């Protein structure tokens, strides 16, 4: 069961975005309490679900590690560590649009929704059946879903060295530009109502998430065709995207440190009050160094 759950977590969080993801051989890694994957190339259609005419030109996840507390699997959080998330995207050339692939993606989405609806229906039917088999199945399914929900609710996410870049030589005639977001580190974890990191049951009425981000910056560069990174060899691509690269950027927002507190009301009933929203976010920034200029 644990091995299947690990495969589900990895496939659910990464399967749509990376190529050649193989979760068939996890047993040896699980014995060590950690599953580690390295040098995962991003799929060209990883941004398909965004709904915008853009595609991945080049992308890589340097390392992904899933740490599992084997001795406290039900009471301690699982941890996902990710390093070197590099992505270069660009506008989708409509002349290269694959209509068959788009139609297949739409069908896959519809089938996925139908599978989810069918799973809910089967659970409802089992709960209404008074037979011993149905009650046993319903009880087992409830325990399994509660176990999985607790793991997902308490996942700790730690990401280091993120660089997301958009390069465009089509939108503005005769102009080439690149815009990017860089993050040194990002952490997200569940907390109690005093904002102390803790393991929280999925049955609680409210959930609290603490997110901390360092080195967050946004840049906009005027570049040439020769300075586009999407078609570079892998070694040159990684060298340019790394946070230690010597490339100078025209920053709109210089690197800042931010902390966000998320509070979510998990009530299944509709909220009737305008003064008590379902999600509350308090964002704290040490500074906001913006810089705008007009370059002819």
């Amino acid at each position: 069961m644990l091995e299947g759950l690990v495969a589900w977590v990895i496939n659910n969080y990464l399967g749509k975005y990376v190529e050649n993801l193989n979760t068939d051989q996890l047993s040896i890694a699980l014995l060590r309490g950690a599953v580690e994957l390295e040098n995962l190339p991003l799929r060209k259609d990883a941004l398909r679900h965004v709904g915008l005419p853009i595609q991945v030109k080049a992308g890589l996840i340097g390392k992904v590690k899933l740490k599992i507390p084997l001795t406290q699997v039900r009471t301690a959080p699982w941890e996902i560590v990710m390093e070197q998330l590099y992505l270069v995207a660009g506008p989708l050339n409509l002349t290269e649009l694959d209509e068959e692939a788009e139609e297949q993606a739409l069908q896959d989405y519809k089938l996925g929704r139908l599978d989810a609806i069918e799973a809910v229906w089967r659970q409802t039917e089992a709960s209404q059946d008074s037979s011993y088999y149905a009650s046993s199945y319903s009880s087992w399914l409830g325990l399994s879903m509660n176990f999985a929900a607790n793991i997902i609710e308490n996942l700790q996410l730690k990401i280091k060295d993120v660089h997301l870049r958009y390069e465009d030589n089509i939108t503005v005639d005769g102009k080439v530009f690149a815009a990017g977001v860089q993050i040194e580190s990002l952490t997200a974890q569940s907390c109690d109502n005093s904002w102390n990191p803790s393991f929280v049951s999925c049955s609680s009425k409210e959930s609290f998430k603490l997110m901390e981000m360092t080195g967050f910056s946004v840049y906009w560069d005027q570049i040439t065709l020769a300075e586009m990174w999407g078609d570079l060899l892998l070694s040159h691509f990684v060298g340019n995207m790394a946070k230690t690269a010597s490339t100078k950027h025209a920053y709109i927002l210089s690197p800042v440190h931010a902390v966000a507190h998320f509070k979510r009301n998990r009530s299944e009933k509709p909220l009737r009050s305008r003064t008590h929203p379902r999600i509350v976010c308090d964002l704290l920034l040490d500074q906001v160094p913006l810089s705008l200029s007009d370059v002819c």
Side-chain angles (χ1 to χ4, degrees), residues 184-232:
E184 289 185 8
S185 66
L186 173 67
T187 61
Q189 54 190 328
S190 296
C191 301
D192 58 21
N193 56 8
S194 298
W195 300 108
N196 297 314
S198 64
F199 189 88
V200 180
S201 172
C202 65
S203 61
S204 59
K205 295 182 179 179
E206 294 180 320
S207 67
F208 301 86
K209 300 287 185 180
L210 175 63
M211 298 183 64
E212 185 171 2
M213 183 165 52
T214 61
F216 174 72
S217 60
V218 180
Y219 66 82
W220 184 290
D221 296 340
Q222 297 291 336
I223 62 174
T224 66
L225 288 173
E227 295 173 312
M228 296 182 70
W229 298 348
D231 298 323
L232 293 177

Side-chain angles (χ1 to χ4, degrees), residues 122-136 138:
R122 288 184 179 278
Q123 183 181 4
T124 303
E125 289 294 309
S127 63
Q128 294 176 351
D129 192 338
S130 60
S131 67
Y132 173 78
Y133 170 78
S135 61
S136 299
S138 178

Side-chain angles (χ1 to χ4, degrees), residues 108-168:
D108 292 342
Y109 173 77
K110 291 180 178 179
L111 289 175
R113 295 292 297 171
L114 288 173
D115 288 342
I117 294 173
E118 182 180 2
V120 173
W121 174 78
R122 288 184 179 278
Q123 183 181 4
T124 303
E125 289 294 309
S127 63
Q128 294 176 351
D129 192 338
S130 60
S131 67
Y132 173 78
Y133 170 78
S135 61
S136 299
Y137 172 77
S138 178
S139 177
W140 178 87
L141 184 62
L143 289 173
S144 300
M145 293 183 65
N146 186 63
F147 176 51
N150 274 327
I151 291 174
I152 300 302
E153 175 66 24
N154 289 279
L155 271 178
Q156 291 187 359
L157 181 64
K158 297 182 179 180
I159 304 178
K160 298 180 180 179
D161 192 9
V162 178
H163 190 169
L164 310 178
R165 178 180 171 95
Y166 175 80
E167 297 177 341
D168 194 323

Side-chain angles (χ1 to χ4, degrees), residues 223-295:
I223 62 174
T224 66
L225 288 173
E227 295 173 312
M228 296 182 70
W229 298 348
D231 298 323
L232 293 177
L233 295 176
L234 180 61
S235 58
H236 294 163
F237 166 74
V238 172
N240 286 346
M241 297 290 286
K243 63 181 180 181
T244 56
S246 59
T247 306
K248 301 297 181 181
H249 298 293
Y251 285 104
I252 298 176
L253 176 64
S254 297
V256 299
H257 174 265
V259 176
H261 296 82
F262 288 90
K263 178 182 177 181
R264 179 171 176 264
N265 188 327
R266 303 182 60 179
S267 173
E268 298 179 355
K269 299 180 180 179
L271 302 183
R272 305 295 185 183
S273 174
R274 293 180 178 271
T275 59
H276 295 84
R278 185 171 293 278
I279 299 176
V280 177
C281 175
D282 293 325
L283 179 63
L284 306 176
L285 291 168
D286 54 356
Q287 56 181 343
V288 186
L290 292 173
S291 177
L292 300 175
S293 60
D294 185 8
V295 179

Side-chain angles (χ1 to χ4, degrees), residues 72-84:
Q72 297 175 298
V73 69
R74 292 180 178 272
T75 58
W78 293 24
E79 183 178 308
I80 295 180
V81 180
M82 189 179 301
E83 297 180 10
Q84 290 185 313

